[in-house]
Each structure stands twice: as structure tokens, then as C-alpha cells.
Amino acid sequence: ATATIAPFSTDLDDVFISVKTTRHYHHSRLPAIINTWFQFAKDQTWFFTDRDDPYFHNQTNGHMINTKCSSSHSRRALCCKMSVEFDRFLESSRKWFCHFDDDNYVNVPRLLKLLDNYNPREDWYLGRPSIPTPLEIVRQGSESSKRSKVRFWFATGGAGFCISRALALKMTPVAGGGKFITVGDRIRLPDDVTMGYIIEHMLKKQLTVIDQFHSHLEILKFLNKDTFHDQVSFSYSKGPRDDWNIVKIDGFSIRDDPKRFKSLHCHLFPQASNCPHR
Ligand code: UDP
Ligand code: MN
């Protein structure tokens, strides 16, 4: 038999998956993750929060990390969490850092298949922008004559993104050991934008656009069911009244599964526990 030698073979243990959360969302958001995709990546996924929570500590086999960052939705608090996520990845010996929000469903096998196309010893920033053109900011120099426009892309944090270890190591002098917060303070922009600024502007490495990452900034019902297997991440959001932005999929009732994570999970993995086997 002829063996095809795959150039890279990404193992689950090569990936550090971080999920940003906050004390206010533990009960409303974490169970939907823990009961679905977390089951496929229990040892690889960590939740970054802002309070010790013995109940979820237990539910996640000790994978809750108290960042000691503020629990406000302030730009600074979010950059603080991203900084801790990044530093924890650096301390791990893993090849890939993948960040998600606590309203993301991650299609774990598909994520591995995606990463398999890229060499973690090269510089890779994989994700999906949510704006049609690069962000343009005006950098204030010390003198007004030093003002200059800076344009860069950034991957939307709410869709998830991945960074290779090689790139993370190059980022370390400017973003490691808490310095990510300093950069965020300087440009006064959110954590995902700060990430794009560091990688695209400071390091001159380009974002590779991956259309299979999805945030609730998209209209999720437009995603075609026949392509769900190919998508890396999904999300949901609750609009005014009962008008949710959710993936259109049959399965559990809206009442039992308002976020559609359980239905998605059973669609993708019919043999998973908690799925109605036939
Ligand atoms: N978040 C946080 N602290 C807060 C509010 C939100 O860490 O005070 C996290 C939240 O857990 C989620 C992300 O930030 O992972 C985005 O929050 P949310 O979905 O509420 O807002 P969005 O920016 O998506 O509208
Ligand atoms: Mn969100």
C-alpha cells in the first residue's frame, strides 16, 4: 500500500483553545458549551473569566482561569483578559493559539482540519474580519505634524481566530508578559482590534481570511445547512424582544435550545451523547 505523507498533522493537543467569559455569563452561557463542543476538547480548552467559580471549576475539570481582570465590559478589561489568554498560551508548549468568545460553538474536528493546512513554524494569523475595508486609525504623534494614518485588518474576536506559535513568539517582545494591555491603552481600541494592530501594523504580517469563522455580526440564518460541516465556528445573539440571531437548523425545540448549539452538535455529530440516536 502507498502511504500519503501529510505535511502537517495537527493533533488536538497541539491547540490551546481559550474562551473569554465573565462572571455575569457563567450560568447563561457556559452550559451550552460544556454540554456540546467542550466534550471534544476538554483538555485543550480553558475559560478565562474574572471570578473564582467552584461550580464551573468542577464542571470543566479545573479549566476556569481567574484572570483577576475587571468584570466590566470596558475596553481595558477585555484587553486584560486577552493579555492573560495570550500569556497562558505562551507558557503552554502548544503550536496554535485559538481564541473564541463564550457565545461561539466550535466545530472541533473542522478546526483541526483547518490548522492542518498551515505550518505552525511559520507566521499565521487566521480569522475573519467583520468590516469590508481595513480599519483606518490616525496615530497621534507627539507633535501634530507626526500624525499618520495607519490601516490594518483584524479578525473579529467574536468569530474566533488562531495564531501560530511562530507568530506568537515574534509578538512576545511587544505583547507578552502583560504588554498587550499597554498596546491596547496606547491605541485605545478593543482587544481583537489591538491584536490586528500588533500583527498587521507592528509586525507587518497579514491576516489570512478564513470564511468558515462566524460571529453574530453576520445574519446566521443565511448560513446553508449543507455547509455546516465545513464551518469552524458559529455564534448567536439575542436581539430586542425574542428576536434571536441564530443558525437555522432543525432539531431541539427553540425552548430547549434557544442558541441552537445542541441542535448543531447533534447535526454534526449524531452519535454524541445527549443526541437522540436512532
Ligand atoms: N465579556 C467580558 N466582560 C464583560 C462583557 C463581556 O469578558 O463585561 C466577554 C463575553 O463573555 C464574550 C465577549 O466578551 O466572550 C463578548 O461579549 P458579548 O457577547 O456580551 O458582546 P458582543 O461584543 O459580542 O456584542
Ligand atoms: Mn457576543
Side-chain angles (χ1 to χ4, degrees):
T2 45
T4 336
I5 298 159
F8 323 106
S9 185
T10 313
D11 192 81
L12 202 45
D13 280 326
D14 294 334
V15 191
F16 181 97
I17 302 178
S18 69
V19 177
K20 178 172 67 181
T21 188
T22 172
R23 60 178 77 173
H24 310 294
Y25 291 162
H26 289 180
H27 285 278
S28 57
R29 296 191 178 187
L30 299 192
I33 293 177
I34 292 167
N35 295 326
T36 60
W37 67 266
F38 176 72
Q39 295 303 319
F40 292 155
K42 280 182 175 171
D43 298 331
Q44 296 75 19
T45 307
W46 280 267
F47 296 90
F48 290 79
T49 188
D50 39 47
R51 171 189 266 169
D52 289 328
D53 185 329
Y55 175 78
F56 282 104
H57 190 78
N58 182 267
Q59 291 277 302
T60 61
N61 304 315
H63 277 219
M64 297 288 285
I65 294 174
N66 183 350
T67 58
K68 310 277 169 77
C69 298
S70 143
S71 66
S72 73
H73 199 162
S74 67
R75 188 201 59 71
R76 205 158 197 279
L78 299 180
C79 278
C80 174
K81 263 176 209 161
M82 182 66 78
S83 177
V84 178
E85 290 175 45
F86 183 68
D87 285 341
R88 278 300 187 108
F89 164 70
L90 289 174
E91 284 167 26
S92 79
S93 47
R94 294 173 192 245
K95 295 175 181 165
W96 291 98
F97 168 47
C98 296
H99 158 96
F100 295 95
D101 275 0
D102 59 7
D103 49 10
N104 282 133
Y105 178 96
V106 182
N107 184 352
V108 175
R110 183 66 187 84
L111 176 67
L112 295 185
K113 203 178 138 199
L114 169 79
L115 297 178
D116 222 22
N117 296 313
Y118 305 94
N119 186 346
R121 295 159 157 279
E122 293 171 359
D123 302 330
W124 291 107
Y125 174 33
L126 311 172
R128 178 172 169 157
S130 51
I131 48 175
T133 55
L135 190 69
E136 193 172 285
I137 62 171
V138 180
R139 286 272 294 114
Q140 304 275 115
S142 42
E143 304 146 47
S144 55
S145 60
K146 288 239 178 87
R147 270 186 207 176
S148 58
K149 275 186 186 163
V150 170
R151 305 171 91 233
F152 59 95
W153 289 103
F154 67 95
T156 304
F161 59 80
C162 297
I163 293 172
S164 63
R165 172 154 292 268
L167 177 56
L169 290 175
K170 289 192 181 135
M171 294 166 65
T172 303
V174 283
K179 288 188 198 152
F180 186 93
I181 305 173
T182 314
V183 180
D185 280 346
R186 203 168 75 222
I187 61 172
R188 284 183 255 101
L189 289 168
D191 52 350
D192 51 356
V193 185
T194 301
M195 193 59 91
Y197 178 85
I198 291 169
I199 299 171
E200 285 229 332
H201 175 68
M202 299 179 81
L203 296 176
K204 307 288 179 222
K205 305 286 177 184
Q206 284 187 351
L207 170 71
T208 298
V209 177
I210 308 293
D211 289 322
Q212 287 82 16
F213 284 97
H214 301 284
S215 75
H216 54 69
L217 296 172
E218 294 170 50
I219 302 171
L220 293 160
K221 68 179 175 201
F222 292 157
L223 265 180
N224 183 344
K225 180 176 180 247
D226 300 334
T227 71
F228 286 171
H229 286 272
D230 298 326
Q231 310 304 334
V232 174
S233 64
F234 302 88
S235 189
Y236 63 86
S237 66
K238 192 180 183 298
R241 289 177 304 275
D242 274 337
D243 140 40
W244 290 61
N245 179 11
I246 47 174
V247 164
K248 189 171 155 54
I249 184 165
D250 295 333
F252 294 91
S253 69
I254 289 285
R255 200 166 148 250
D256 290 339
D257 184 27
K259 305 167 179 176
R260 309 316 284 154
F261 279 14
K262 291 202 286 180
S263 303
L264 256 176
H265 192 64
C266 291
H267 170 76
L268 297 173
F269 311 104
Q271 302 309 316
S273 57
N274 308 329
C275 294
H277 306 288
R278 46 181 81 242

